[in-house]
Amino acid sequence: MDSIIDRLKNLGFNTYEAKVYLALLRQHPATGYEISKESGVPQARAYDTLKALEANQSVISIGGKPTKYMPINPNELLDRWENSFKESVTFLRDTLPNLSNETIDPIVNLRGEEAIFKNARELIYRAKKSVYIELWQDDAHKLYEALKDASDRGVMVRVVGYKELQLDFADVFQHGMGDRIEQTLGGRWMIMAVDDEEGHVALVTLNNAMPTGVYTRNAGLIMVIKMLIVHDMFLLDVESSLRPEMERVYGKTLLKLREKILGSEQTVGFH
């Protein structure tokens, strides 16, 4: 019974109102005196409570001397509360954002492998339209089921794969320098943009340090994350189609291009 009273209080009744309404469900029609005895609410408070419940149309009086009361059907009462709750949520959803000039877009820090991959899986399972991700073969098994589920639901899955990552349900753009990047950088990364609404960036391993990452709904950051992945895909696809010509101009592994952009000291770690 206490759990029912608690739930009724969550929906707007106070303790006396909940007890009186439940007493009326068990025994009706009933007088204020009878309700007080059945509910355990002091008689003086029982009358006040009945008036309050009658005012908000949770009980009705049926006249007589003394006055007797009937409860509103529970389904009718709950339907009324449900509709009112939905209307309030809809109103507030439309109104509250307009009260601030700034939208608060969270950036959440992620620490540890478990937190990183748990968040990544949740994002993928929420995906409705698209998942763009950069992923190493070493880590693919941790996201395989979530990515496969997304693909089966009709979500477009596009992957930059490192170290010969293969997925039979998604387009994978192979990055041939996974081993060298991991050796030079000292770890692996995972980058993901979902539905142009959520972003996830993480260093999965880094010189045996604690894996760290961030999750964001900031539109600007998500755009940057997606563009980084898309530009990698553009370059990898062009490179696979025009490799002889590109190597003629830029050398093996496009070394001259890397030196031109990154300098001679950091020619491997960033791509």
Side-chain angles (χ1 to χ4, degrees):
M1 188 62 66
D2 287 344
S3 61
I4 297 176
I5 291 173
D6 288 339
R7 296 301 190 279
L8 288 170
K9 288 168 66 177
N10 288 341
L11 293 175
F13 278 176
N14 62 36
T15 301
Y16 283 166
E17 289 169 343
K19 288 182 176 182
V20 166
Y21 181 77
L22 292 175
L24 271 175
L25 287 180
R26 293 191 297 269
Q27 177 184 332
H28 58 267
T31 65
Y33 173 75
E34 292 169 334
I35 294 166
S36 174
K37 289 183 61 179
E38 176 66 23
S39 65
V41 174
Q43 190 171 349
R45 295 304 308 274
Y47 286 109
D48 292 341
T49 301
L50 283 165
K51 289 179 181 178
L53 290 172
E54 187 176 15
N56 65 31
Q57 299 180 316
S58 298
V59 306
I60 58 174
S61 60
I62 57 175
K65 290 187 178 180
T67 302
K68 292 189 176 183
Y69 295 87
M70 293 277 293
I72 294 295
N73 182 282
N75 287 328
E76 180 183 342
L77 180 65
L78 293 172
D79 286 345
R80 188 197 308 157
W81 273 340
E82 185 174 22
N83 292 333
S84 176
F85 183 80
K86 288 179 178 178
E87 289 174 1
S88 295
V89 169
T90 299
F91 173 80
L92 292 172
R93 193 184 301 279
D94 293 337
T95 305
L96 289 179
N98 297 325
L99 300 180
S100 173
N101 293 324
E102 296 183 359
T103 300
I104 301 172
D105 295 308
I107 298 177
V108 179
N109 290 314
L110 304 167
R111 290 183 58 81
E113 181 179 312
E114 182 178 353
I116 288 170
F117 283 100
K118 179 177 183 292
N119 185 72
R121 285 189 292 270
E122 289 174 353
L123 264 64
I124 297 167
Y125 280 125
R126 285 200 296 268
K128 296 180 178 64
K129 297 181 296 183
S130 64
V131 174
Y132 285 81
I133 185 170
E134 297 206 2
L135 186 65
W136 254 260
Q137 171 65 33
D138 308 65
D139 307 308
H141 66 282
K142 299 166 187 171
L143 299 181
Y144 180 89
E145 289 186 8
L147 290 169
K148 178 67 164 59
D149 176 80
S151 177
D152 290 345
R153 288 185 283 111
V155 174
M156 182 176 66
V157 178
R158 296 288 186 269
V159 184
V160 173
Y162 294 82
K163 296 176 68 173
E164 302 301 322
L165 170 62
Q166 300 289 338
L167 296 173
D168 55 6
F169 54 83
D171 292 330
V172 180
F173 297 78
Q174 293 295 339
H175 197 300
M177 298 186 66
D179 284 327
R180 292 185 63 186
I181 291 173
E182 191 170 357
Q183 291 170 7
T184 304
L185 183 67
R188 304 186 298 273
W189 59 65
M190 176 175 57
I191 309 170
M192 181 167 57
V194 175
D195 290 345
D196 296 328
E197 295 178 356
E198 298 182 280
H200 176 104
V201 178
L203 287 172
V204 180
T205 59
L206 185 61
N207 294 325
N208 298 317
M210 168 77 75
T212 60
V214 295
Y215 159 78
T216 182
R217 291 182 62 89
N218 181 281
L221 290 177
I222 294 165
M223 181 184 70
V224 171
I225 292 168
K226 183 176 179 179
M227 287 303 99
L228 184 153
I229 299 170
V230 168
H231 285 153
D232 272 356
M233 291 176 176
F234 284 170
L235 181 57
L236 291 170
D237 196 70
V238 170
E239 186 179 348
S240 67
S241 300
L242 303 175
R243 181 176 295 277
E245 180 64 16
M246 293 182 71
E247 288 189 348
R248 184 185 68 79
V249 175
Y250 294 112
K252 291 287 186 181
T253 70
L254 310 184
L255 182 60
K256 293 179 182 178
L257 178 60
R258 299 176 198 282
E259 289 179 343
K260 181 178 181 180
I261 296 172
L262 298 171
S264 60
E265 300 299 319
Q266 302 184 59
T267 57
V268 177
F270 290 90
H271 195 277

